[in-house]
Amino acid sequence: MTKYIVRRLLQMIPVIIGATFILFVLVFALPGEPWQGRCGERPCPPAYVDAFKKEYNLDKPLLIQYGIYLGRLLRGDLGTNFYNNRVIDELAVRYPTTVTLALIAIAFAIVIGITAGLVAGINRGSFLDTLVTVSTLVVISVPVFVIGGLAQWSILKLKLTDIIPVTATQGTIGQLILPGLVLGSLSVAYVARLTRTNLVENLRADYVRTARAKGLSKSRVIGLHTLRNSLIPVITFIGYEIGSLMGGAIVTERIFNINGIGGFIFRSIEQRDGVSVVGAVTVLVLVYLVVNLIVDVLYGVLDPRISHD
Amino acid sequence: MAKTERTAEPAAPLAAGAPLLEVTDLQVEFRMREGVARAINGVSFTLEAGQTLAILGESGSGKSVTAQAIMGILDTPPGYVTGGRVLYRGADLLKMPERQRRLIRGSQIAMIFQDALSALNPVFPVGWQIAEMFRVHRGLGRTEALERAVQLMERVRIPAARERVKSYPHQFSGGMRQRIMIAMAIALDPVVLIADEPTTALDVTVQAQIMQLLQDLQDERQMGLILITHDLGVVADVAQRIAVMYAGRLVEEADVIDLYGRPCHPYTRGLLDSIPRLDQKGQTLSAIGGLPPNLLHIPAGCPFNPRCRWAQPLCRTGAPPALAEVGVNRRSACHFWPEVAAAAPAAGLASPAQSETAGSDPAVLQTLGAASADALGPDGAQDRLAASDSALAGEQGATAVAPQGPVAAGGPALAGPTPDGGSADESEGR
Ligand SMILES: Nc1ncnc2c1ncn2[C@@H]1O[C@H](COP(=O)(O)OP(=O)(O)O)[C@@H](O)[C@H]1O
Ligand code: SF4
Ligand SMILES: [Mg+2]
């Protein structure tokens, strides 16, 4: 197991290097220049441009730039962006909000998604099953900004803004409940469907028949024998979802005015702030890889058939 | 969830003199979108303590459904018991409240399934799964239940049972997994054991070991054993009674010796004839052509008539022939059973080595005798049964080569050593 983890960690190195390089090239290839709009209405004077280029090594070839960047990164330095702020500080301000938002979304996915999936799966073919199947399909096919707008609109119409705020400028937990639900709606839907499918499939499995033949109660057959098997893929899926939600949520953050990672990356791209983009995304990639590793290890623990040796 | 349900030790007979298990006119149907599949259409049989009843039939004939209906573990929906009685020591299981029935299920009537890999729960250790019987039914604590599980694993001869009690099903070989399945089924000393094709998924050597184990356990505990199989060879060795099933009906029921010696139903006859034989290599004898009927549309008259070479116009109309007495303690559901019984079987009893599906090397197959019709008294049949015993033993080493051509029934030369159950299998290990 330790060997497996070490191997996985080592595998991350080329992934990080590859990912940062691709990002670097992409940011480099973006049309427009980072000094645009820094000198008022006029184009920037050549002296300013030269100084700017020098300061940020933009005068050197791409590979050299990249080499310098990588060298800093290995020392844990994410660099300083074109506004003279350390990227790590910019991230530190926003990350707690993004993490809180992601965890709220996941909490909804777990509580509502799994419950709905179980209810639907156990009562297959019933009204509740149809309700879950249809409503999740709707959620999956409607874009997030529509769901978000609808959620805000309903809260405003119902005059519930005192209890459920529709903006989250400070990013407190209370403010993040509604955005979390909106962000998590897709995960809720997927988790519900995945849980239902797996439960239905497992209820047909031979080992369930054996469990019944052993004279176990229905609650034990479903709640212990079937559930344990059915939830393995669901837990894995939720794990991967955590990984991707940690990357921020551009649309949801916009709708609810949240100062999170997603918005930060979006603005940095707009401003051609390459250092910020590459720095932020590198951290996201790292988080994603680590979460995936944790999920894979957990999967091996949950399912004894998976061996990490 | 950890609530325990204690059961009394095997209940005293509810009705004095009642058989262990008495199934009467059992009917099961599957209600599906395409229509109603009548899987069981009036099955009746009796099982006594210490007796082995084999249920034989092609795949899809309703053997497993019969077992599931007795156990009360049908998939409902789509499956429903629509008629009949299942008397266990005189009490009708079908009329019992589910709670009461659950106390009997697993502890007094237990079942073994065909494919132990899928029948065992993949995410729990095998010891845990065996121990669960003691914990749920007997209220034992974790440690004590696990200790009992180890003892059972030792009883079914799983090597290094104590070390392997925490292993998972996929870490065992097929034979070992089936032993675990058996250990779980006999954990609470059931009085009735239903084994649904317990050896079909295993290779030939291991099959014999598992059958031996089942027989030993049955002798030791005087269980009534219902052995479901489509392998005639297995039957000859262990069962006293045999019930042949076709399209959800019993078509013939008799003592094994009588049935093998003089089948009284064309379907049974076809099954016996289709056992591959070396002395007529390459020839498919009167192996039954065609397919079993679609259970959504069972043909009128005798369900077997489209495949039957004895079929007459009478067979194609009206109700199916009833399962009627055709001799001492034997029944057949055929209008023309006397003709069938009188016709000389095409050949003697062939080796049980190969079932229709086993697909092993034909070179292993042996023939124990191509008996002519006049050799077919009860005695002749007896001899051939003895011979088939030795065939099963001989096939273990796969070395006994059958001579081309007929051999006198009961030829002792084919006897081979029977390996101690559970030794060849052990090497498969983890
Ligand atoms: N779970 C099920 N759903 C629908 N039909 C079933 C189910 N189980 C069995 N059947 C029907 O019952 C018939 C008999 O099945 P089964 O008893 O499993 O045959 P076998 O004799 O091979 O054990 C099948 O051909 C099928 O039509
Ligand atoms: S009743 Fe007729 S069709 Fe059916 S088995 Fe007998 S002879 Fe064949
Ligand atoms: Mg079957």
Side-chain angles (χ1 to χ4, degrees), chain A residues 204 209, chain B residues 28-32 34 37-40 55-68 74-79 114 196-197 228-230 245 247-248 292-296:
Chain A
R204 271 199 295 257
R209 184 170 288 145
Chain B
V28 176
E29 62 185 35
F30 288 90
R31 296 171 193 159
M32 296 173 303
E34 314 87 80
R38 301 192 189 285
I40 307 295
I55 301 183
L56 186 80
E58 281 167 298
S59 169
S61 53
K63 307 182 296 291
S64 299
V65 172
T66 304
Q68 287 164 18
L74 273 178
D75 295 324
T76 308
Q114 172 176 344
D196 188 355
E197 313 218 16
I228 295 174
T229 180
H230 59 242
M245 232 179 144
N294 178 345
L295 295 176
L296 297 173

Side-chain angles (χ1 to χ4, degrees), chain A residues 206 209-210 214 220 225 229, chain B residues 75 118-119 121 129 132 137:
Chain A
D206 286 353
R209 184 170 288 145
T210 311
K214 285 166 90 174
R220 194 174 169 101
H225 284 263
N229 283 278
Chain B
D75 295 324
S118 61
N121 194 323
Q129 296 189 50
E132 189 178 28
H137 285 278

Side-chain angles (χ1 to χ4, degrees), chain A:
Chain A
M1 185 65 108
T2 321
K3 246 169 106 182
Y4 170 77
I5 295 174
V6 170
R7 198 173 69 228
R8 285 286 301 263
L9 287 172
L10 290 176
Q11 280 170 359
M12 285 183 193
I13 295 173
V15 176
I16 297 276
I17 293 178
T20 49
F21 183 72
I22 291 170
L23 277 166
F24 221 81
V25 174
L26 286 178
V27 170
F28 199 80
L30 280 177
E33 307 292 349
W35 53 84
Q36 261 170 11
R38 286 182 176 245
C39 312
E41 297 294 302
R42 305 168 289 121
C44 286
Y48 179 85
V49 172
D50 285 346
F52 191 92
K53 281 185 170 175
K54 204 164 201 80
E55 174 161 5
Y56 293 102
N57 293 317
L58 297 180
D59 52 347
K60 305 205 172 62
L62 180 68
L63 275 180
I64 304 289
Q65 286 185 40
Y66 179 68
I68 296 171
Y69 184 83
L70 207 59
R72 288 214 191 111
L73 193 65
L74 289 181
R75 277 175 271 127
D77 179 6
L78 289 176
T80 305
N81 69 9
F82 299 150
Y83 297 88
N84 240 335
N85 297 318
R86 285 173 37 183
V87 174
I88 194 136
D89 295 336
E90 297 274 357
L91 295 179
V93 176
R94 294 170 175 88
Y95 228 101
T97 311
T98 291
V99 170
T100 314
L101 186 62
L103 291 182
I104 291 173
I106 289 300
F108 279 118
I110 293 172
V111 176
I112 302 179
I114 292 185
T115 311
L118 291 183
V119 169
I122 292 172
N123 306 295
R124 190 159 70 103
S126 69
F127 167 73
L128 279 175
D129 183 24
T130 316
L131 185 73
V132 169
T133 318
V134 172
S135 60
T136 50
L137 198 64
V138 170
V139 170
I140 289 170
S141 42
V142 172
V144 177
F145 70 86
V146 176
I147 296 177
L150 214 60
Q152 279 179 325
W153 180 81
S154 330
I155 299 295
L156 288 171
K157 272 285 168 202
L158 297 170
K159 306 206 191 319
L160 290 176
T161 39
D162 293 340
I163 313 163
I164 308 169
V166 291
T167 54
T169 25
Q170 285 99 46
T172 59
I173 292 187
Q175 288 182 340
L176 289 175
I177 295 281
L178 189 64
L181 180 58
V182 171
L183 177 63
S185 58
L186 204 59
S187 315
V188 170
Y190 278 127
V191 166
R193 294 180 80 91
L194 192 63
T195 307
R196 178 191 177 278
T197 312
N198 273 295
L199 186 66
V200 168
E201 200 171 286
N202 273 285
L203 281 173
R204 271 199 295 257
D206 286 353
Y207 71 80
V208 173
R209 184 170 288 145
T210 311
R212 283 193 281 149
K214 285 166 90 174
L216 308 179
S217 64
K218 194 175 173 196
S219 61
R220 194 174 169 101
V221 171
I222 295 180
L224 189 62
H225 284 263
T226 320
L227 205 60
R228 175 83 187 265
N229 283 278
S230 311
L231 285 187
I232 292 172
V234 178
I235 291 171
T236 315
F237 176 80
I238 290 174
Y240 294 133
E241 281 290 279
I242 294 177
S244 42
L245 287 177
M246 288 294 180
I250 294 180
V251 179
T252 310
E253 288 178 13
R254 279 243 154 155
I255 299 172
F256 294 97
N257 223 345
I258 299 165
N259 190 13
I261 295 288
F264 173 69
I265 295 174
F266 187 72
R267 268 193 310 285
S268 301
I269 293 173
E270 276 186 337
Q271 295 165 348
R272 308 287 172 267
D273 185 354
V275 184
S276 294
V277 176
V278 180
V281 177
T282 305
V283 172
L284 296 190
V285 170
L286 206 61
V287 170
Y288 189 79
L289 290 176
V290 171
V291 171
N292 271 13
L293 174 57
I294 294 173
V295 172
D296 288 349
V297 170
L298 194 67
Y299 191 53
V301 173
L302 290 174
D303 189 341
R305 283 163 298 182
I306 307 296
S307 158
H308 286 323
D309 301 329

